[in-house]
Amino acid sequence: MIVDYIGIGKALKEAMSDYTTSDQEAIDNANIRDSAYPKFQEKLEVCRNVFFNRFNYSKIFSKTITDSDMANLIRDGIDHILSYNEEMQKDFKDQAYQLKQAHTLCSSVTTEAEQREAAYIEAVRISVNRIGSSTSALSKAEINEQISELLHQSIQSEGVINLFQDFERGFSLFDPNFLEKIEKMEQKNLSVELLNKLLTDEIRSIVRTDIVKGEEFSERLKRIMKKYREGLVDNAEQLDRFAGIADVVNSEDAEYNLSNLQTTREELMKLAKEAMALEKEHESLGLSRAEMAFYHAVSNPENVQDFYTNDQLIQLTKDLTDSIADEMTSDWMMRESGRANVRRTIKRLLKRYKYPGNYNEAIQLVIKQAEHWDGMQIAT
């Protein structure tokens, strides 16, 4: 069976169709390896000379490199790739994946140095993918296990690679020391992407119960990361412009990038602290989680908080939550009459409290929030 990893399967199949069955059986794996090896060398050269052309990872060729040094080198490589804009990062992942595919077919004929280099590039690719994944949670243990297994198979490394040894408890915004450790990270691009990943996952959780705060945090995160990514200068273009100039690191672009990184990290850390504080906000106001979500819904317009005292706003929230809970039958969202009853209940309550905001907008927002709590214990 020929596994078409790099697009040569079709050509091989056509060529082999010219032979008899016995001829085909006589063809051994060497032909496949010979076809894949040049492709492997081509992709290795692309990764080395395009994406890592100004990044020195030569320590990987040392047989005495420690697990700690290997972890640092991989972490620095991740940070280097994350310094590119999104298009360049995608190109790297595509080329590195093709390198992996080709290596799968010809690993028995590659040199030890090639195996080490390919394993290093694959370790960086895997890590960049995991950090940027929008579908899976970020797990320190899983990343370490995957990288350790890769290096064990590729270069017979017996140790366990701990890419993030400073984060003993893994990645959690609720670890009291997490943000302090993030702030001290030398790999600033990596620290930004770690914060972005964790905040994205946390905000996704917030939106499920508190749509107003969740959407507010989500929009803020998008703005912060959009500005950050727009500020990323394509390293290849930047350094080409400064080719022949010794003091590249002191260029205005380099200084701007550093400032952009620092500002982005500070804004993300501020957002992270607010997201963590949200977890305890309902307790300080004496509200349940559901009540807190409705509190944010009715107080969303700025003038509302100026119109009521905090005690009045809390009481409005409690009455609103109780009234809605009474109308939320199992099928209220499916029946127009059920939705109409909820709308009337909300409107009556807002009128009783002389609500200063737009009634229709408030009603729609509260109903939208109620839909998020449907099927859950709304009063707890």
Side-chain angles (χ1 to χ4, degrees), residues 10-256:
K10 182 179 179 182
L12 281 172
K13 185 177 181 181
E14 291 173 353
M16 290 177 70
S17 66
D18 294 333
Y19 292 88
T20 65
T21 302
S22 58
D23 288 331
Q24 293 176 24
E25 290 175 350
I27 296 175
D28 61 23
N29 288 335
N31 291 329
I32 300 175
R33 291 198 301 269
D34 291 343
S35 299
Y37 187 51
K39 190 73 172 179
F40 166 79
Q41 291 179 310
E42 173 195 331
K43 295 304 176 183
L44 184 60
E45 185 176 357
V46 168
C47 290
R48 179 197 303 136
N49 296 332
V50 175
F51 300 102
F52 289 104
N53 61 328
R54 289 178 176 86
F55 179 82
N56 184 2
Y57 55 75
S58 59
K59 284 184 180 179
I60 64 167
F61 300 114
S62 170
K63 294 183 179 180
T64 61
I65 187 171
T66 66
D67 293 337
S68 177
D69 287 342
M70 178 65 84
N72 288 335
L73 198 57
I74 294 172
R75 200 161 55 241
D76 287 342
I78 298 168
D79 189 67
H80 173 74
I81 294 300
L82 292 177
S83 71
Y84 290 122
N85 62 30
E86 289 180 290
E87 183 179 356
M88 283 284 285
Q89 288 183 38
K90 183 180 183 302
D91 287 345
F92 164 73
K93 288 185 283 189
D94 289 344
Q95 294 295 324
Y97 186 64
Q98 291 178 48
L99 172 67
K100 174 200 171 186
Q101 290 177 311
H103 195 211
T104 300
L105 289 179
C106 66
S107 58
S108 61
V109 299
T110 53
T111 66
E112 182 181 349
E114 288 173 333
Q115 290 172 12
R116 283 179 169 270
E117 193 170 6
Y120 175 77
I121 292 170
E122 176 62 4
V124 172
R125 184 192 73 85
I126 288 172
S127 303
V128 170
N129 266 341
R130 292 300 297 270
I131 292 167
S133 172
S134 60
T135 58
S136 60
L138 187 61
S139 167
K140 171 191 168 183
E142 289 180 6
I143 292 178
N144 286 339
E145 182 180 353
Q146 194 170 3
I147 298 302
S148 297
E149 179 64 20
L150 165 69
L151 298 182
H152 174 67
Q153 292 179 354
S154 303
I155 60 176
Q156 288 73 54
S157 169
E158 297 296 337
V160 175
I161 303 299
N162 189 351
L163 290 188
F164 304 97
Q165 61 264 34
D166 292 338
F167 298 89
E168 299 90 351
R169 302 182 185 180
F171 305 118
S172 173
L173 293 178
F174 296 97
D175 176 352
N177 300 317
F178 177 78
L179 292 182
E180 180 182 345
K181 292 172 182 176
I182 281 285
E183 193 171 19
K184 291 179 180 178
M185 281 186 70
E186 294 180 5
Q187 298 86 6
K188 291 183 172 56
N189 294 292
L190 177 53
S191 68
V192 164
E193 293 297 347
L194 283 174
L195 279 169
N196 177 46
K197 170 62 176 171
L198 292 175
L199 277 166
T200 299
D201 291 346
E202 177 61 22
I203 290 170
R204 189 179 294 123
S205 176
I206 292 172
V207 166
R208 286 197 289 266
T209 55
D210 191 333
I211 192 169
V212 172
K213 276 298 179 182
E215 290 182 351
E216 175 194 327
F217 286 167
S218 180
E219 287 303 313
R220 283 175 60 186
L221 180 60
K222 287 177 184 177
R223 286 197 300 269
I224 293 170
M225 293 307 296
K226 182 175 184 290
K227 184 178 178 181
Y228 165 69
R229 299 199 193 288
E230 288 174 349
L232 284 176
V233 176
D234 185 323
N235 283 1
E237 292 182 1
Q238 178 194 10
L239 292 173
D240 283 345
R241 276 192 287 124
F242 289 101
I245 301 176
D247 198 15
V248 172
V249 296
N250 291 325
S251 70
E252 290 183 4
D253 278 350
E255 290 179 2
Y256 171 76

